[in-house]
Amino acid sequence: MTLSPRPGAPAIEVRDLHKSFGSLEVLRGIDLQVTHGEVVCVIGPSGSGKSTLLRCVNLLEQPTSGKVFVDGIEITDPDCDIDAIRTRIGMVFQQFNLFPHLDVAGNLTIAQRRVLKRSKEESLRVAEAVLAKVGLSEKLRAYPEQLSGGQQQRVAIARALASNPEMMLFDEPTSALDPELVGEVLDVMKALTDEGMTMLVVTHEMGFARRVADRVVFMDEGVIVEQGPPEQVIGDPQEPRTRRFLEQVFDR
């Protein structure tokens, strides 16, 4: 099938998405669009389906029903070359998922060489460039165990950027970090938004969502309850469920 983007199509579009694990229905009919250059932050309580939604967007989880489109291409079509589509979508997880036996250079070049078929020299040039972008040029030959959690997550972001993605997915990228390390990762993410990167971010960092999001989506019990500009959803929520969630967050 063609992998040519459809002019004018959203960067990401989800239509009537459902996902069940056995008898547990985690997503119950999600409709969502993310336009090019938009930053959308997804918030909500644990178990609301946020991470499952993100994993369905690049088919790390196969939806039970519904459709997912990237640049107008239906990636839930069985004939779609999902590996080719994934080169357009960088993803950063809660855990850093770095290879402990490889140094930073190895972690940043392995997918470039094996998936993108870049030469050793080109892969290393790209690795050095993206590492500089996240402020870790001096760590090229360090191993993951020699890095702080914040540094490991910044390397994970650099690894995602190495494929030159058109959009980035972040699944609670600061949740595994000690509080004093959160800021350095959020600063890198903020810099990406300033460059116009399309981003879909699952986060519990309300300050970050308020500061950088074009739109905030509040999920609960597998549905989108409310969405809109951050000053509305976080500052003046209209739905009782959103208000209760935010009261609990800000009372902590």
Side-chain angles (χ1 to χ4, degrees):
M1 66 178 293
T2 179
L3 292 179
S4 299
R6 196 178 76 233
I12 299 167
E13 183 178 7
V14 173
R15 296 182 190 169
D16 195 25
L17 192 70
H18 291 254
K19 176 62 182 179
S20 295
F21 295 96
S23 61
L24 178 63
E25 191 174 21
V26 178
L27 299 178
R28 300 189 291 137
I30 300 290
D31 292 297
L32 181 66
Q33 289 189 3
V34 181
T35 60
H36 287 277
E38 188 178 23
V39 178
V40 175
C41 286
V42 183
I43 65 173
S46 297
S48 58
K50 307 182 302 295
S51 293
T52 300
L53 169 62
L54 208 66
R55 294 173 67 85
C56 284
V57 166
N58 66 354
L59 295 196
L60 289 176
E61 295 287 356
Q62 189 69 39
T64 304
S65 64
K67 295 181 178 182
V68 179
F69 298 82
V70 172
D71 283 334
I73 302 161
E74 187 192 341
I75 67 171
T76 38
D77 185 323
D79 294 329
C80 179
D81 183 351
I82 185 59
D83 290 331
I85 294 294
R86 283 187 181 133
T87 64
R88 301 178 182 181
I89 308 173
M91 184 154 183
V92 178
F93 301 88
Q94 297 177 32
Q95 301 300 326
F96 322 125
N97 296 336
L98 300 178
F99 293 112
H101 64 289
L102 296 178
D103 63 10
V104 169
N107 271 281
L108 295 183
T109 57
I110 186 169
Q112 293 188 66
R113 296 178 68 184
R114 293 187 179 179
V115 178
L116 301 177
K117 308 303 181 185
R118 291 174 180 163
S119 68
K120 181 179 179 180
E121 294 74 17
E122 182 185 6
S123 296
L124 192 57
R125 280 197 304 273
V126 171
E128 291 172 340
V130 294
L131 205 57
K133 196 166 194 168
V134 300
L136 290 174
S137 292
E138 75 283 1
K139 300 297 185 182
L140 186 68
R141 295 301 173 186
Y143 283 82
E145 65 178 12
Q146 298 172 310
L147 304 176
S148 70
Q151 290 171 334
Q152 289 186 61
Q153 191 63 293
R154 285 152 66 193
V155 170
I157 293 172
R159 179 179 56 189
L161 293 173
S163 64
N164 195 30
E166 299 170 16
M167 58 198 79
M168 292 281 287
L169 309 178
F170 290 89
D171 186 7
E172 299 212 29
T174 61
S175 65
L177 299 178
D178 292 332
E180 68 270 18
L181 302 177
V182 168
E184 63 189 66
V185 173
L186 295 182
D187 286 345
V188 170
M189 294 171 64
K190 174 67 165 61
L192 292 176
T193 70
D194 292 342
E195 294 174 5
M197 176 67 77
T198 304
M199 291 168 47
L200 182 58
V201 183
V202 171
T203 185
H204 61 273
E205 299 289 344
M206 295 302 134
F208 175 79
R210 191 193 292 264
R211 190 166 74 251
V212 308
D214 297 299
R215 182 158 40 105
V216 172
V217 173
F218 172 69
M219 286 183 64
D220 192 20
E221 297 182 348
V223 299
I224 293 176
V225 175
E226 184 171 356
Q227 61 179 306
E231 59 269 20
Q232 174 197 312
V233 176
I234 298 176
D236 185 25
Q238 303 301 300
E239 295 293 330
R241 275 196 281 179
T242 316
R243 287 198 295 272
R244 283 197 300 272
F245 169 74
L246 290 169
E247 285 168 1
Q248 291 173 344
V249 167
F250 290 119
D251 279 349
R252 287 172 188 165

